[in-house]
Structures are given as structure tokens and as C-alpha cells.
Amino acid sequence: MSGPPPGGTGTPVPRSSSNGPPNLGLAMPSQQQANGAQLGGTGSGSGPNGNMSQQNLNSIVIEYLSKKGYSRTEAMLRMESANQDAEGRPLHSRSDESGGSKYGRAFDILRRWIDENLEIYKPELRRILWPIFVYSFLNLVADFYPKESHVFFSTFKGIFEKEHGNDLRALEPMSLPEHVLDNPIAKIYRGSKYRLCLSTVAFFNLIQFLESKEKEGGAALISVIQNFMNIVTVNRASDERHSLAAMLGRAYEAQEFPNEDEGIPGHNPGSANTDGNAGLGVLTKLKLGPLPMEPELMSDVQAELEDEDLVNGPVEGQNSLVQEFEQHIKREESEDAPNRNDLPIPPSVARDVAMEVQKVKENRDRFKIEGRTGGVGPGVSVTMFTFHNTFDSINCLDFSQDNLLVAAGMQESYIRVWSLEGKAIVSALPPSLGDTQPSSSRRLIGHAGPIYAVSFSPSIACSDPTAPSTGPRYLLSSSADKTVRLWSLDTWSCLVVYKGHDHPVWDVTWGPFGHYFLTGSHDKTARLWSTDHISCLRIFAKHDQDVDTVCFHPNCAYVFTGSCDKTVIMWSVSTGSSVRMFTGHTGNITSLACSPSGKILASADDVGTIILWDLGPGRLLKRMRGHGKGGIWSISWSVESTVLVSGGADGTVRIWDVVGPNDAGQGKVVGEGGSGVKIEGIGQVGAQGSAGVTGTGKKKGKDVVVTPDQISAFPTKKSPVYKASFTRQNLVVAGGAYLP
């Protein structure tokens, strides 16, 4: 029925890409065309040969779809037919009749229409401006409109500088068609369709508006949407992110954020999918359970706990150590757990048994954080160590897990380690081998550039003098000299220099079991190492910019990398491939931490936002704000995975409720910084520092919205917080340098 109609040659019907119902495919337009031919050429809709024109045929189909209520199919057909002439042939995408200036006029009209739209639709409609801006600019450049493309870019780039500054800097020099083929960012956008979710009502209104402005450039923008974008329309009832309550909440937020499933996969912003099939909902299945214990280690630990219970029995109402081990610590094989064969780890020794026994004791005796009670957050204590007379020379800090040592990486290329108890730090080397007199601090010299990260090997405090030593044995450091060094804390000397990165190494961290460690560098890669190999075991390369921060999953089967391309990628250690990509930050990623439960990832950026991600489905859980600008430099989880602590450049340590409410519209506005006053929840505001208004009535600093997730905040005087971490007993240790 799609062949030529009887009695005439007939114009071939173009194949439609509509996503409408099956009965609205090619058969219906062809049948209508045939019927139109049989009616003769007397009607006004007939062509010169007696056939109905494609333009009028489309109008009939659109009218039919409108009557039947197929709104999405109608909108798609309207969009397609807008770029066809009377005979159904596609129009050229260039704006020849009015030059490249049509894109500028059309974009300005669209922007003004969105600004004047209903408040509940503004947030989602504004998300369409960025892809239309990029693809319109690339079309102008590709069609050789150098002057018009420059004017277009200069006029509208200011709207997107905050969120897409890196892409704007990469696109700005473009002016010739060959630049479109050579520019890496242009190739990313031109080679992939930009994915965007819109509610059905918003999408329908958008298409209707662009159709009504066809002569002012609406047809050109419809062509951009059709050729370069993949717009997924969702129903309010079926997706809670587009429900009326969610849309009303976003309408009054101080800042808009991209959805985690928006954009081009692999580029900011994007999807948790790491391949090009965004929106298919197919994600790699993860094994997030704890790594099973070695059978011999499990039996040895259980025997030690039984002996300990016999000597020191539990008090009334308290679990025995064996019960605590069975209920909370014991790790057995399960479907949700990785296989030990996929992750080679050296056999356990007596030190491992002693550490596992001590973990059970600390887990039973810890301060338990059960979350909010009657709306009041738990009282978390913070111990802050302030370093004086540093002259801004400290780049990084790390506390040992036994809470006895702290290490600082210096701008002057050395590391200094202090005893937190003020005791002398002794060496295993005799004085005859050149060892200095014992003191409460040690210097480690060897790097040829500033130190950017230090990390103590896993350890735990143990009060039993007869047990094997469970203190930290090694220290890792990364530097601007492109190397990573492994230091012995027994001899206080360098053991190994690991080389492989081509540029400065920004971050280094130990794995949870101490055998593997991970680095991130300016060369846009992260690398996995083991202490018994001089070269790296894995190279993780997918980021567009520097890898600034890295962390391990608690089961060591996965690692996470954060970059200044504003993305976080989750990698499989066994395969070396990426399994999740999380994008939605509007600033550079500065810190990462995976919860002890292994199910949630926290990521922080340099604009003061913390995002929680559900690793299984790859979805954003919540967004927490409260820190001032300058960067959140450290985040850490409580043992129960219910509370988060953070510290940053604004000189505050903040406690966050992970399972609490997340209603940004109810956040309180406070000033950046503060000093000397504890801020409880969101009901009070620190009164000093740069908060609020000065005594002369002039506004000082920029206001910051604090979301209701914040339990409390502890401002320092003038000490940026370099490190804040929970101990295994749920106490918080923080450190920073006083900067007068």
C-alpha cells in the first residue's frame, strides 16, 4: 500500500522516525495518499499532478493524532514536518535566507520564553539551552559563518560559564569548518546525541513554541533538536524526579543542577552508564558485599575471641566478642561478594589475626550513632589538631588509623611525621647507623618536588603488649616529581620509588587490606599498584582532565576516581574496565569516600557540594550543601554508614545526616566561614567571620544555603581543614593549618 497510487506517478512517502503507536507507521499515510489521489485534483490540497501534497498530508495526520490523543507522536511529526518542503523533501539546515544570524535570534527568543515560563517548568526547560547553544554554534562554524559564530558565542557564553567553563574554553577558538573536525570537544558533541529528560507537558509546549516561531528561527532549533538530541519524555506519575512536588522544589532552589542521566555518556554531564547506550537502564551488576575472609584467618580469629571471652567476659547487656564477630564482622562467601580468586591478597599472618581481633573489640565498644532521634542529630565529638607557624607550607595531612601519628606533606618537598601523644618516635636502626636522637617528630626527605598526598598503611590501636604490633608500618607519598615513595616507619627510610606517571601525582591512598594502593595524576590517569611490584598493575584512563582524588571500595574489588572534568568513575579492579560513571557536579571533584556498607559513594567538589550516589542502580540519592566555596578537602563515613563528616577551605568541620531529609527549599541561608561558634543543625548561624552583614550595613561575602541534612558545624578561627575522618569508634579527628 506504500507504492504509487492508482492513476498517477505519486510522490514517494519519506520514512518517518516517529516513536508513536505501531498503527501510525507507513501504512496510514500511504493509504491516505492513495485515497487523496482517487478524489481527484479539485481540492486545494492537491498537487499539480492531482496528488495531495506532503505538507497537507502531514497536516491531516497531525490533526488525526491530536484527536486521538497521541501527543508525543504528534509533537515528533510536527518537528519532522517543519523541515520539509511541500513535496516532502528535507530542507537544508543552513539559514541561507537570513544568514547565520537566525541562530542568534532564535536562541534569544527561546531563552526569553523560558525565563517567562511557569516556575515549575523553568528548571527543566533551562537544561535544554546548553545543548542547543553548543550545536547551534557548531553548525555556524561548520557552515562557515565565522563572524556570526563569534557574535553568537560571545553573546550567550556567559549563561554557561559556571557549569561548562572547560567546554567553553575548548570551543571558543573555533571559527573554521576544519576546526569542527579537529577539536576534541566538538567531536564528542557532534559524534553523540545529547540525552535530556523532559516532562511530557514541557516538551509539548517547547515544540509548539518553536513551531510558532518558525520564521524567527524556530525551524533551525527544531532541526538541532531532531538531529543532535535524544529527548526522553517522562510522565509525572511514573518518575518521581518529575513529579509536581519535585518540580516545585527545584523551582525555588538557589542553584540548578544537572540530572545524573543527562548529557553525553562519558562527558559532563552524563549517565551512570559508561557506554553510549544512555537511557537503556542496563548497568553492570556489581558485587558490593564484603570480601570473604580467608578460612584459616577466620578460624584463628574465632579461637582468639573465645579465649578473650573466657578471660574478660562481657558486661550485662553486652554481646560477647564471639557473638559480635558472628553478627557484624564475620565475612563469608555470598552472591553479593567478590571472589577471593579474582583479587589476590597475600596469606594472613599473626599481625592480621591481632588486627581482626581488635576490630571486633572496637566495633562492640564504639560510640553508636543511630541517626536522628526526634529530629535531633547525634552528638558527634570532634578533636581538631591545629598546626601553627607553617607559613602555608602544608599541602596535605593524614592520620594513622591507630590515632598515634599524623603526617604532613610539605611544599618544600619533605614529609614531617608527629606523634599525637608527644612521645619520642624511635627507630629500629641503631644510632651507629646514623639514626638521630629520638624526638616527637621525624622528617622524611627524598622527593624532588612538593608533596601532594600522604597515606598511612592500615593499622589499629592495640593495648595488649604481648600481641604482634598492629601500628602503621608504611607511609606512601606522592609528589610533583611524578613519583610515589614507600617509606618504612620502622627504619624511617625510603624503601621503594614507584615511577610510571608522566606528570605530577595528585593523590595516593592505601587499599583496605594494605597490599594494593591507588594513585591519581595530572596525566589524566589513575593507576593501581601493589607493594611487591615496581610497575603498576592497572591503568585507568577515561577522564578528560586530571584525576585529582581516588579511593577504594571497602571490599577492594572496585576503585573510584574523581576528576576536574566534574565526573566520578567507578572501576573494576579485576577487569580494569569502568562500571559506573557519576556526573552531576558543577565543580571539580576534590574528595571521595565510599561507605563502610559498600553501597553508597560520597563525592565532594570545590563549590561546597556533597553528592551521595547509590552504587547499585547508579542513581543520585541526595545533594547536601553548607560549605563555603574553596573546596571540600576531606570526607569520611561513620561505622554505621549513617553519618558523614567533612572539612574544607572554609575552615569548618561539618556533620551530615545521610538518611535524613533532603529538601533544599527549606535550607537556611548563612554566610561563608565563621569562627568560634558551634552551629547546631540549620537553626543557628555563626555570628563572626564573614557571615551576613558587617556593622556598617554593607554585605560581606556571599550567602551559602545550608540544607537540612547538616547536623552540626564546628567553625575554626582561621584554619582550613585539610583532613577530617571518623575513627573506628565513631570519634572524629580533624587537622588543619592556622593561617593568620
Side-chain angles (χ1 to χ4, degrees):
M1 298 183 67
S2 58
T9 305
T11 304
V13 179
R15 183 176 294 274
S16 172
S17 59
S18 172
N19 295 324
N23 63 338
L24 296 179
L26 293 176
M28 181 177 293
S30 300
Q31 181 65 50
Q32 289 175 349
Q33 186 178 14
N35 293 339
Q38 293 168 357
L39 291 173
T42 59
S44 59
S46 301
N49 295 325
N51 295 332
M52 179 176 292
S53 71
Q54 181 65 34
Q55 195 172 22
N56 287 339
L57 178 60
N58 286 345
S59 300
I60 294 173
V61 176
I62 289 172
E63 184 179 356
Y64 171 81
L65 293 173
S66 179
K67 289 180 179 179
K68 292 296 184 180
Y70 297 123
S71 57
R72 182 181 177 188
T73 309
E74 178 192 356
M76 293 296 295
L77 185 56
R78 284 180 184 273
M79 187 168 63
E80 291 175 3
S81 62
N83 273 336
Q84 296 176 352
D85 60 14
E87 299 301 323
R89 292 186 295 267
L91 295 173
H92 200 280
S93 61
R94 291 182 58 169
S95 303
D96 292 320
E97 67 277 10
S98 59
S101 60
K102 173 171 282 194
Y103 280 109
R105 292 200 304 272
F107 187 84
D108 187 57
I109 291 172
L110 175 63
R111 181 175 60 87
R112 294 175 184 275
W113 175 74
I114 292 176
D115 288 340
E116 296 170 359
N117 216 302
L118 293 176
E119 291 293 336
I120 60 172
Y121 297 124
K122 280 185 184 180
E124 57 177 328
L125 286 173
R126 282 179 182 146
R127 305 306 307 172
I128 204 171
L129 289 176
W130 167 249
I132 288 183
F133 168 81
V134 171
Y135 290 117
S136 298
F137 172 71
L138 293 178
N139 282 351
L140 287 171
V141 175
D143 290 345
F144 196 49
Y145 286 110
K147 182 178 179 181
E148 288 85 348
S149 64
H150 176 73
V151 171
F152 177 83
F153 192 91
S154 302
T155 303
F156 301 110
K157 70 174 183 178
I159 306 172
F160 312 104
E161 282 181 338
K162 186 174 182 179
E163 184 177 336
H164 301 281
N166 293 333
D167 286 358
L168 289 172
R169 285 189 289 272
L171 295 173
E172 190 166 14
M174 296 175 57
S175 59
L176 300 175
E178 50 265 32
H179 294 166
V180 178
L181 302 177
D182 298 335
N183 188 286
I185 300 299
K187 288 194 288 187
I188 290 175
Y189 279 97
R190 297 275 284 195
S192 306
K193 285 197 172 186
Y194 194 100
R195 185 177 189 272
L196 188 67
C197 284
L198 291 178
S199 64
T200 306
V201 177
F203 177 69
F204 187 73
N205 290 340
L206 172 67
I207 296 302
Q208 278 194 326
F209 172 75
L210 293 178
E211 283 183 340
S212 67
K213 300 295 181 181
E214 180 179 357
K215 294 183 180 179
E216 291 87 347
L221 298 191
I222 288 178
S223 175
V224 168
I225 295 173
Q226 179 182 356
N227 295 325
F228 299 107
M229 296 185 65
N230 174 24
I231 295 183
V232 180
T233 57
V234 294
N235 234 329
R236 288 181 185 173
S238 61
D239 194 326
E240 61 181 14
R241 293 176 300 168
H242 293 271
S243 65
L244 184 59
M247 295 171 73
L248 286 172
R250 286 198 298 269
Y252 297 100
E253 284 188 1
Q255 184 177 1
E256 295 171 14
F257 299 95
N259 292 323
E260 74 275 11
D261 56 356
E262 174 185 327
I264 297 173
H267 193 70
N268 177 64
S271 168
N273 269 312
T274 55
D275 58 21
N277 298 321
L280 295 182
V282 180
L283 293 173
T284 305
K285 184 178 180 181
L286 303 179
K287 294 187 175 182
L288 303 177
L291 185 71
M293 257 188 179
E294 185 183 350
E296 292 182 4
L297 176 62
M298 188 183 301
S299 60
D300 290 344
V301 170
Q302 198 148 1
E304 289 288 335
L305 294 175
E306 289 173 355
D307 293 343
E308 184 70 23
D309 280 334
L310 291 176
V311 177
N312 301 307
V315 299
E316 186 178 353
Q318 189 180 51
N319 284 343
S320 67
L321 293 177
V322 173
Q323 289 174 333
E324 188 73 20
F325 177 70
E326 293 284 346
Q327 295 175 11
H328 303 292
I329 306 297
K330 187 176 180 179
R331 305 187 300 272
E332 296 180 329
E333 292 186 5
S334 66
E335 293 183 359
D336 192 38
N339 194 321
R340 287 188 65 89
N341 297 328
D342 297 336
L343 195 67
I345 294 177
S348 59
V349 295
R351 182 177 187 271
D352 298 316
V353 176
M355 290 185 66
E356 290 295 334
V357 169
Q358 190 62 27
K359 286 179 184 177
V360 177
K361 293 180 181 179
E362 290 192 354
N363 190 75
R364 184 187 67 177
D365 301 335
R366 75 182 189 278
F367 168 66
K368 294 178 174 56
I369 300 177
E370 304 297 345
R372 293 177 183 256
T373 303
V376 179
V380 178
S381 298
V382 179
T383 300
M384 177 75 182
F385 292 90
T386 304
F387 296 81
H388 293 271
N389 303 319
T390 63
F391 305 105
D392 201 17
S393 63
I394 293 181
N395 289 336
C396 55
L397 287 175
D398 191 38
F399 294 95
S400 63
Q401 293 177 4
D402 62 356
N403 303 314
L404 296 178
L405 299 175
V406 59
M410 301 294 186
Q411 183 71 20
E412 291 84 0
S413 308
Y414 69 89
I415 303 162
R416 183 174 285 278
V417 181
W418 286 272
S419 168
L420 292 177
E421 295 180 329
K423 296 180 179 179
I425 300 177
V426 297
S427 170
L429 293 175
S432 60
L433 294 181
D435 188 41
T436 59
Q437 293 296 323
S439 66
S440 60
S441 67
R442 289 267 183 171
R443 286 210 305 176
L444 300 174
I445 301 174
H447 279 292
I451 314 297
Y452 293 131
V454 289
S455 180
F456 282 104
S457 61
S459 60
I460 194 168
C462 182
S463 57
D464 186 358
T466 63
S469 172
T470 58
R473 299 179 59 191
Y474 304 107
L475 179 72
L476 284 169
S477 60
S478 64
S479 168
D481 63 8
K482 311 175 190 176
T483 67
V484 176
R485 288 180 178 254
L486 178 68
W487 305 86
S488 169
L489 300 185
D490 294 327
T491 63
W492 297 95
S493 59
C494 181
L495 300 179
V496 189
V497 179
Y498 299 96
K499 298 180 180 180
H501 284 290
D502 299 326
H503 290 85
V505 185
W506 300 130
D507 196 16
V508 62
T509 186
W510 283 97
F513 305 108
H515 181 62
Y516 298 100
F517 62 93
L518 186 65
T519 58
S521 169
H522 178 56
D523 62 12
K524 305 178 185 179
T525 69
R527 301 184 186 226
L528 180 73
W529 312 72
S530 67
T531 52
D532 57 354
H533 286 71
I534 191 64
S535 57
C536 66
L537 306 178
R538 292 278 189 272
I539 298 178
F540 304 112
K542 196 164 190 174
H543 285 289
D544 297 331
Q545 300 293 333
D546 303 22
V547 178
D548 294 325
T549 180
V550 295
C551 79
F552 276 87
H553 189 275
N555 65 16
C556 204
Y558 304 98
V559 296
F560 304 91
T561 57
S563 169
C564 53
D565 65 6
K566 305 175 185 177
T567 66
V568 178
I569 298 180
M570 182 181 185
W571 308 82
S572 169
V573 169
S574 59
T575 64
S577 59
S578 56
V579 293
R580 293 287 188 276
M581 176 176 287
F582 302 106
T583 56
H585 280 280
T586 57
N588 304 327
I589 312 299
T590 53
S591 186
L592 297 171
C594 188
S595 66
S597 67
K599 300 184 183 303
I600 304 175
L601 175 72
S603 58
D605 59 32
D606 60 358
V607 296
T609 301
I610 299 173
I611 297 181
L612 302 182
W613 309 92
D614 190 346
L615 296 180
R619 294 292 299 272
L620 185 150
L621 286 178
K622 65 161 63 176
R623 201 182 294 265
M624 304 185 297
R625 299 193 299 278
H627 278 280
K629 290 187 179 179
I632 299 173
W633 294 339
S634 180
I635 50 179
S636 178
W637 289 86
S638 66
V639 176
E640 298 85 356
S641 302
T642 57
V643 172
L644 196 72
V645 64
S646 62
D650 64 349
T652 64
V653 177
R654 296 176 187 262
I655 312 297
W656 306 90
D657 191 352
V658 173
V659 296
N662 182 27
D663 186 357
Q666 296 179 4
K668 299 293 184 181
V669 178
V670 301
E672 289 186 3
S675 61
V677 179
K678 179 182 176 183
I679 305 173
E680 291 289 356
I682 59 171
Q684 300 177 21
V685 178
Q688 286 124 31
S690 58
V693 180
T694 63
T696 60
K698 296 182 180 179
K699 189 175 181 180
K700 184 179 180 182
K702 187 177 180 181
D703 288 337
V704 178
V705 174
V706 180
T707 56
D709 313 277
Q710 180 176 296
I711 296 172
S712 56
F714 302 90
T716 63
K717 290 188 181 296
K718 291 184 179 179
S719 300
V721 181
Y722 299 153
K723 185 73 174 181
S725 61
F726 270 103
T727 68
R728 288 193 179 92
Q729 292 186 311
N730 275 339
L731 304 177
V732 177
V733 179
Y738 179 69
L739 301 179

